[in-house]
Amino acid sequence: MSNRKELILKRLADEGEKTAAFFNGLADSQWEQQVYLTGPLWRIRELLAHFVSAERTFVLYGHDILAGGSGAPEDFVIDEFNATQVAGLKEAATTELIRQFEIARAEIVEIVQGMADADFDRIGRHPWFGRVPLETMLKLIYRHNMIHQRDIGKALETSQPVPHVEAVPPSQ
């Protein structure tokens, strides 16, 4: 029997805790550090809002896929979604955003806890990857945050934004 469920649960929980600890450890003066030179010119606070909106949205689409749905709709435009969702969280305090991130990550962990091994093979539409197995989507959740946190760390270390690398989804 596969142990992918346990591995994914562990990574989601561990990386979620690391993410919350990372943001909880920031000084007030660091939240306004711009992270990227191109693309969305997000500051650290806006990247946390991005994490919140992305994880909340996965909860919705994860449930949909497990119920036999298709996941993200075909007309989902990821850049527009990110812009509107991050802007919609601009008034939330950073402590509230961290709390919302922890709640959303706990919901994702709960979803995975209830999954059977075959559920990881269910195909759904991810806004960036396209049609992929649910397992791929779940791995992207923690990898996504790790990549952005690495960039935040570089921006904080140098006090300069980093070039945004235009990523292209892997071909299927």
Side-chain angles (χ1 to χ4, degrees), residues 5 66 110-117 119-120 134-135 138:
K5 179 177 182 173
L66 288 168
E110 186 177 310
I111 289 169
V112 176
Q113 286 171 332
M115 289 172 60
D117 190 64
D119 290 332
F120 290 90
L134 199 48
E135 178 179 14
L138 290 164

Side-chain angles (χ1 to χ4, degrees), residues 2-165:
S2 170
N3 67 348
R4 62 184 166 175
K5 179 177 182 173
E6 291 77 23
L7 292 172
I8 290 172
L9 279 170
K10 180 168 178 30
R11 289 301 297 270
L12 285 168
D14 290 352
E15 294 303 326
E17 288 173 14
K18 288 178 189 176
T19 296
F22 175 83
F23 285 114
N24 276 317
L26 292 175
D28 290 343
S29 61
Q30 294 176 307
W31 284 98
E32 291 304 313
Q33 171 65 51
Q34 183 177 332
V35 180
Y36 296 114
L37 285 169
T38 57
L41 304 177
W42 286 338
R43 300 186 183 289
I44 293 172
R45 190 195 174 292
E46 293 160 324
L47 270 168
L48 175 56
H50 170 60
F51 287 7
V52 170
S53 67
E55 300 223 0
R56 282 181 180 165
T57 302
F58 176 81
V59 169
L60 297 174
Y61 293 141
H63 281 302
D64 180 64
I65 293 165
L66 288 168
S70 61
E74 291 292 330
D75 63 351
F76 189 102
V77 180
I78 199 164
D79 290 336
E80 289 175 15
F81 171 83
N82 285 336
T84 60
Q85 294 299 303
V86 169
L89 293 168
K90 71 180 178 182
E91 300 300 322
T94 55
T95 54
E96 177 59 19
L97 288 173
I98 295 167
R99 189 182 78 74
Q100 288 180 29
F101 168 79
E102 290 172 319
I103 290 168
R105 179 56 64 93
E107 289 180 57
I108 293 169
V109 167
E110 186 177 310
I111 289 169
V112 176
Q113 286 171 332
M115 289 172 60
D117 190 64
D119 290 332
F120 290 90
D121 299 321
R122 288 179 182 257
I123 303 294
R125 185 171 184 286
H126 184 274
W128 189 69
F129 272 116
R131 293 185 47 75
V132 295
L134 199 48
E135 178 179 14
T136 300
M137 291 185 209
L138 290 164
K139 289 178 179 178
L140 180 63
I141 290 169
Y142 56 79
R143 290 175 179 161
H144 169 253
N145 293 6
M146 292 167 68
I147 291 166
H148 281 307
Q149 281 175 239
R150 179 199 63 210
D151 293 343
I152 292 169
K154 288 178 185 176
L156 287 171
E157 183 180 312
T158 63
S159 298
Q160 297 292 320
V162 298
H164 180 77
V165 176

